[in-house]
């Protein structure tokens, strides 16, 4: 971007075994985000990790949250 800001449109999202969703991190490319998600997934915990592009408003889902409740 020309204004000096960095765009990080790719999120890694974690869903715990209770169905709660959290943003793990934001990344510049899908490949970078996927590498992180794959690394976390290999740890063998019951959480589910996936990559999703941020929408125009900056959210990753209408019912999702960032951080603990």
């Amino acid at each position: 971007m020309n204004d000096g800001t960095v765009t990080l449109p790719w999120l890694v999202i974690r869903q715990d075994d209770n169905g709660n969703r959290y943003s793990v991190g934001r990344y510049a490319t899908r490949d970078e985000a996927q590498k992180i998600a794959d690394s976390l997934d290999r740890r063998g915990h019951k959480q589910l990790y996936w990559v999703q592009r941020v929408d125009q408003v900056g959210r990753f889902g209408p019912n999702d949250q960032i951080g603990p409740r």
Side-chain angles (χ1 to χ4, degrees):
M1 299 183 107
N2 292 337
D3 62 2
T5 61
V6 177
T7 302
L8 301 173
W10 293 98
L11 286 173
V12 173
I13 302 169
R14 174 179 66 93
Q15 181 173 313
D16 65 21
D17 50 348
N18 293 318
N20 299 309
R21 296 178 180 180
Y22 306 90
S23 172
V24 173
R26 293 180 72 148
Y27 303 91
T29 67
R30 180 178 177 84
D31 286 341
E32 182 183 13
Q34 190 63 57
K35 286 178 185 177
I36 298 298
D38 290 345
S39 173
L40 293 167
D41 195 43
R42 281 193 297 270
R43 293 182 179 182
H45 297 286
K46 293 182 180 180
Q47 285 81 20
L48 172 67
Y49 296 92
W50 71 90
V51 172
Q52 186 170 330
R53 188 174 178 90
V54 178
D55 68 17
Q56 296 291 343
V57 182
R59 296 180 305 222
F60 61 94
N63 299 317
D64 299 333
Q65 62 187 23
I66 298 175
R69 288 185 182 191

